[in-house]
Amino acid sequence: MTRTMRALAAAASVAAAGLALALVAAPAAEAHSVLVSSTPAAGSTISELPAEFSVTMNETLLSGAGDAAFALRVVDGDGRYYGDGCLTLVDDTMSTAAAIGPAGDYTLEWQVVSADGHPVSGEIPFSWTGEATADGTSAPAVCHEAAATGDPDDASGHHDDAAGSDIPLGDVVWIVVAVLVVAVAVTIALVATRRRPRA
């Protein structure tokens, strides 16, 4: 009987350890959001300004992550930003009203939060051949606030570092579950080894 219990405990321990490893590895295996399309398209040259600049991902965006976790802004070669900083998130698409400076090369910078809680960002280069529609600022504008005029790295419009430093809630849940599973497995193993046959 004791041997049977030990065998069961050992099997449970191995199974629990395997489950724990699977649970810990699961978040890493999940795919983050991937850019599907954008307006303008990467590498394109445009002469007419669209109503909105936008990026569309392969999955619904985590809109509840907070405004600071998202960004969509246009910057020129001199580091000047264009737009009011206001964003619209609908399902898998994030957009902002289009505004741009004089003809030249530009970059559409974007950051979103995947459905799994991870921030994802990128840059979309494009060229503009039309007339300027707005004056640029030295820092990204904040929606419904006056644009900052100081160093872009110190501006409140930059959220990349803040978003990247937080541990996603999904990962915390996986870690807690894995720790609990390992604790249960250890407890079972200890109880089984203490039950020895009486002399």
Side-chain angles (χ1 to χ4, degrees), residues 1 8 32 34 53-54 58 62 70 89 92 115 119 122 147 154-155 162 172 192:
M1 201 62 170
L8 289 173
H32 303 330
V34 176
F53 290 128
S54 66
N58 66 325
L62 189 62
F70 294 87
L89 274 68
D92 58 357
D154 296 330
V172 174

Side-chain angles (χ1 to χ4, degrees), residues 15-114:
L19 178 59
L21 289 174
L23 290 174
V24 172
E30 292 178 358
H32 303 330
S33 291
V34 176
L35 180 68
V36 173
S37 63
S38 65
T39 301
S44 65
T45 297
I46 59 174
S47 57
E48 294 184 7
L49 195 64
E52 296 178 328
F53 290 128
S54 66
V55 291
T56 298
M57 314 307 289
N58 66 325
E59 62 180 3
T60 301
L61 300 174
L62 189 62
S63 58
D67 295 341
F70 294 87
L72 185 62
R73 52 209 182 203
V74 173
V75 59
D76 65 17
D78 294 326
R80 297 188 64 78
Y81 292 86
Y82 298 85
D84 60 9
C86 295
L87 304 175
T88 300
L89 274 68
V90 178
D91 297 329
D92 58 357
T93 300
M94 176 175 62
S95 61
T96 185
I100 204 165
D105 293 329
Y106 288 82
T107 300
L108 181 63
E109 300 177 340
W110 60 270
Q111 177 172 294
V112 301
V113 179
S114 301

Side-chain angles (χ1 to χ4, degrees), residues 147-182:
T149 56
D151 185 344
D153 292 332
D154 296 330
S156 59
H158 270 279
H159 304 294
D160 298 26
D161 293 340
S165 62
D166 294 334
I167 299 176
L169 180 59
D171 284 359
V172 174
V173 173
W174 283 114
I175 292 170
V176 171
V177 171
V179 170
L180 288 175
V181 170
V182 171

